[in-house]
Each structure stands twice: as C-alpha cells, then as structure tokens.
Amino acid sequence: MPKILVVDENDKFLKILKQALRRIENSTVVTSNTAAKALNCAKSQEYDVVISDFCMHDMDRISFLKQMRRLQPYSVRIMVSGLCDREALCES
C-alpha cells in the first residue's frame, strides 16, 4: 500500500493531485500546504513517495530536501514546478 505525501502551497493543485493519486490501488495520500507541516508529517509517518513544489514560501527547497532526506531516507522525492525559468531550475 503506497503512502504518498504531496506538498504545495496551491490548494487547488493539491486537491487535483490527491484525486489523481488516489486512483492507485490501496494508496494513502496526505497533503500539506507548507513545508513545515510536511516535515511534521514526515516525523510521524513513513512515506514511499514525497512530491513537493519546487518553490515554497516558508522554506527554501535545499533546506526542505535535506530535512526530508534525513527524516525519510528511503522515500522517493519528486520536485514539481510551474516555474518557467530553466536556469533557476537547473541551479538547484
């Protein structure tokens, strides 16, 4: 039973992605609209996959990824972005 954590500030995107991921048989999908809340979730529950927005206002992506890796060393971490600045994406 895959456990998936989705992190994005856009509540509409969270809802859409949660609905899509629920179609995976026996999956559990948890959403968070801040990096801080997501890290709290990761402290109490193991996730197979963590999908997070590339740009979040409450924490920079490098800090978030380092902390998530420490808390969830075996989870697959996927970054998504609506950002169209290729250079900014590649710098990370």
Side-chain angles (χ1 to χ4, degrees):
M1 181 158 99
K3 294 179 186 161
I4 304 165
L5 175 61
V6 183
V7 189
D8 197 293
E9 294 174 336
N10 184 322
D11 289 329
K12 192 172 191 174
F13 178 76
L14 284 177
K15 184 178 178 181
I16 291 167
L17 195 53
K18 185 174 184 173
Q19 288 175 345
L21 292 170
R22 277 185 164 163
R23 294 180 182 165
I24 299 171
E25 190 172 336
N26 297 321
S27 67
T28 300
V29 182
V30 175
T31 61
S32 174
N33 61 1
T34 69
K37 288 178 186 176
L39 291 171
N40 281 334
C41 290
K43 289 176 185 175
S44 62
Q45 177 69 49
E46 285 191 34
Y47 295 94
D48 299 299
V49 179
V50 177
I51 302 170
S52 65
D53 189 7
F54 181 78
C55 297
M56 292 180 281
H57 292 101
D58 68 326
M59 186 177 300
D60 71 85
R61 59 190 162 269
I62 301 302
S63 295
F64 177 73
L65 285 175
K66 283 181 180 179
Q67 290 182 58
M68 189 58 74
R69 186 178 338 149
R70 183 178 49 80
L71 293 169
Q72 302 280 328
Y74 302 108
S75 68
V76 173
R77 291 169 297 279
I78 300 170
M79 299 291 287
V80 295
S81 179
L83 189 63
C84 295
D85 185 349
R86 185 176 187 169
E87 289 180 31
L89 288 170
C90 291
E91 285 176 13
S92 298

